[in-house]
Amino acid sequence: SQTIHQWPATLVQPVGSPLSLECTVEGTSNPNLYWYRQAAGRGLQLLFYSVGIGQISSEVPQNLSASRPQDRQFILSSKKLLLSDSGFYLCAWASDTSSYNSPLHFGNGTRLTVT
Amino acid sequence: SQKIEQNSEALNIQEGKTATLTCNYTNYSPAYLQWYRQDPGRGPVFLLLIRENEKEKRKERLKVTFDTTLKQSLFHITASQPADSATYLCATSGTYKYIFGTGTRLKVLA
């Protein structure tokens, strides 16, 4: 069966520090991968998605970046965190189909607090 | 731009009643609508998907409708239980992107 791992679960970082969040998927190949952010009491904001190794699409210009060094690994990074980067970060995967009806499977998220 | 909206106010209902949540979309015509459940501090979990040519979809106590004329999907939980308390999100998908509504928090009172 497929599983998605996301870590760490919680993170407290000072303003200006770097960030690296990692997500890995097991049990499937060539998944579409996604990073979302959820601010407190708000909806899910799509940050990045990837349909293949090295292919990254950015939805929101900001000081975050994403990389996909391996088929089932997706990394979210920042060189210098801002207070506004605080939030709940969720990684998700979907089957690589062209019919757009695959459900998204989410990890359990990383709660990031920038102080 | 594409927009998907849900009632941001919390919905409180009595145990045993039917909960009905609304999802409205504007400026596009999605081929699919998906519904997810999110518990506090957890990632959303997929519940149901409905296609534009399906008027209704059921799964156990859950029912989803899709009205392309009204540009609306309704999500029903029949015989609701306190364990159904959660935030419910609707989403549309197309061209690899999944756009979510803000979610409606449901609380089922015992």
Side-chain angles (χ1 to χ4, degrees), chain A residues 36-99:
Chain A
Y36 282 86
R37 178 171 61 199
Q38 188 174 36
R42 305 283 295 276
L44 293 170
Q45 180 187 31
L46 178 60
L47 301 176
F48 302 94
Y49 66 94
S50 170
V51 299
I53 296 175
Q55 300 180 58
I56 307 294
S57 296
S58 173
E59 287 298 300
V60 182
Q62 55 203 328
N63 70 321
L64 298 173
S65 62
S67 62
R68 184 172 178 173
Q70 300 180 42
D71 181 44
R72 290 169 288 176
Q73 184 184 28
F74 206 21
I75 297 172
L76 182 70
S77 304
S78 174
K79 292 182 179 177
K80 288 186 178 182
L81 284 169
L82 306 173
L83 285 174
S84 58
D85 292 323
S86 294
F88 190 45
Y89 287 82
L90 288 157
C91 180
W93 72 272
S95 297
D96 177 26
T97 71
S98 59
S99 57

Side-chain angles (χ1 to χ4, degrees), chain B residues 23-70:
Chain B
C23 177
N24 296 295
Y25 55 92
T26 55
N27 297 330
Y28 70 124
S29 298
Y32 306 93
L33 267 168
Q34 303 183 10
W35 283 88
Y36 292 76
R37 169 184 172 142
Q38 185 176 23
D39 291 291
R42 307 296 295 271
V45 175
F46 172 75
L47 296 175
L48 278 170
L49 175 146
I50 186 167
R51 296 173 172 78
E52 62 177 343
N53 60 355
E54 296 177 315
K55 297 299 182 187
E56 183 180 296
K57 196 83 168 278
R58 291 177 184 263
K59 179 182 176 183
E60 298 174 350
R61 295 184 296 111
L62 308 180
K63 185 178 83 171
V64 174
T65 62
F66 195 171
D67 189 326
T68 54
T69 301
L70 294 178

